[in-house]
Amino acid sequence: MAALVLVEVSIHNPELYEEYKKHTLATILKYGGRFVVRGAQTESLEGDWNPQRLVILEFPDIQAAKDWWASPEYTIAKNIRYQAANSKMLVVESLFPIGQ
């Protein structure tokens, strides 16, 4: 079953975050992932949740998402993100097969 990675990001160094973005796409593609949401405008419908940036990724399964997150390729990008932003990230199994 497909998996979604949800990421809430608060950027404090926009220039460095742009560098992070340059390194990320190839790592996601390598593990069968794709962007579903990438920084689109959000609007809170309930509660006080209003992330500065929200990213949702889709992977073939939870293991592929974990393999991507722990990969040497993404670790390089991840270390840049750690310097440029504060993030919260989780993985969840999707109800639908990938791409549907």
Side-chain angles (χ1 to χ4, degrees):
M1 192 59 65
L4 299 175
V5 174
L6 291 83
V7 190
E8 179 181 344
V9 184
S10 296
I11 302 166
H12 54 260
N13 186 332
E15 290 178 11
L16 192 54
Y17 194 81
E18 288 300 316
E19 187 65 27
Y20 160 76
K21 287 171 32 179
K22 291 177 188 175
H23 291 277
T24 305
L25 179 58
T27 69
I28 293 167
L29 294 174
K30 181 175 180 177
Y31 289 86
R34 70 180 183 112
F35 284 101
V36 177
V37 173
R38 188 177 190 185
Q41 183 176 346
T42 63
E43 180 180 346
S44 179
L45 298 177
E46 290 189 25
D48 62 358
W49 188 35
N50 192 17
Q52 178 186 3
R53 183 175 179 83
L54 182 68
V55 176
I56 301 175
L57 305 168
E58 182 181 48
F59 286 90
D61 54 41
I62 287 178
Q63 191 58 55
K66 288 179 170 182
D67 290 347
W68 161 75
W69 185 85
S71 71
E73 303 87 4
Y74 185 60
T75 296
I76 294 167
K78 190 172 18 176
N79 287 332
I80 296 170
R81 179 172 49 83
Y82 290 159
Q83 296 175 56
N86 296 321
S87 307
K88 296 178 186 175
M89 185 182 299
L90 61 90
V91 63
V92 62
E93 190 172 76
S94 173
L95 292 175
F96 302 99
I98 196 164
Q100 292 190 6

